[in-house]
Amino acid sequence: MRRVVALSLVLTIALGVFVSGCAQQPQAPVTPAETPSETEGAVGEEGTPTEAPAVPVEEAQTAPVVEVQIVNYAFIPSTITVKAGTTVQWVNNDNVKHTVTSDEGVFDSGVFNTGDIFEYTFDTPGEYSYHCELHPFMKGKVIVEE
Ligand SMILES: [Cu+2]
C-alpha cells in the first residue's frame, strides 16, 4: 500500500514539475528568437487542434443570405435551394399583407406588411414547404442541402 502511495506522490511531483515547467516558459524568454520555437514545440505535442477552429469562425462570418421577393401574390422564386446555415429573407414587395408560414409548423412570420422582411435560418437539411395563411394558393419551398 505504501508503495502505491509513494508512486502516486512521485507522479504528482513529476506532473507538478512538468506543469510548472510549461507555465514558466512564457515568463522567462531568454531571447526573442527562441519564443517562436517554443510555440512550435507546444503545437507539435498537444496544441495541434488550436489551429482548426479558425476556419469555421470565418465561415460563420460569411453566412449566406438568400432573398425571396413577395410580389403580386407570389413568392419569387417559389423554390430555392440553399446550403445548411443559410438565412432566407422574405421581403414583402406587394401592396397587401402576407405571411410566410411553414406547412409543418417549422416557422411562421405572422402577418407582415409591405416593406417588411421576415427571415429564418435553415440549419437542418431537408425540404421546407410553406404558404401564405391569407392566400393559401401562394406556395413556396426551401430545399436545404448539407
Ligand atoms: Cu399572401
Side-chain angles (χ1 to χ4, degrees), residues 88-135:
V88 178
Q89 288 186 338
W90 285 267
V91 184
N92 187 353
N93 279 332
D94 211 344
N95 296 323
V96 295
K97 296 173 182 176
H98 295 288
T99 78
V100 177
T101 304
S102 162
D103 292 356
E104 291 84 23
V106 179
F107 51 87
D108 187 2
S109 68
V111 174
F112 67 127
N113 280 305
T114 303
D116 285 348
I117 293 174
F118 169 69
E119 65 177 35
Y120 183 83
T121 301
F122 292 85
D123 290 324
T124 308
E127 290 195 7
Y128 300 84
S129 295
Y130 63 92
H131 60 276
C132 174
E133 289 268 68
L134 306 178
H135 315 101

Side-chain angles (χ1 to χ4, degrees), residues 37-113:
S37 64
E38 283 176 7
T39 307
E40 281 175 17
V43 170
E45 280 174 2
E46 51 188 338
T48 314
T50 51
E51 289 182 14
V55 176
V57 168
E58 284 179 15
E59 285 178 357
Q61 287 171 346
T62 57
V65 176
V66 173
E67 201 174 274
V68 175
Q69 300 283 328
I70 304 176
V71 183
N72 198 22
Y73 296 85
F75 300 109
I76 300 174
S78 60
T79 299
I80 57 173
T81 301
V82 301
K83 288 198 167 184
T86 300
T87 296
V88 178
Q89 288 186 338
W90 285 267
V91 184
N92 187 353
N93 279 332
D94 211 344
N95 296 323
V96 295
K97 296 173 182 176
H98 295 288
T99 78
V100 177
T101 304
S102 162
D103 292 356
E104 291 84 23
V106 179
F107 51 87
D108 187 2
S109 68
V111 174
F112 67 127
N113 280 305

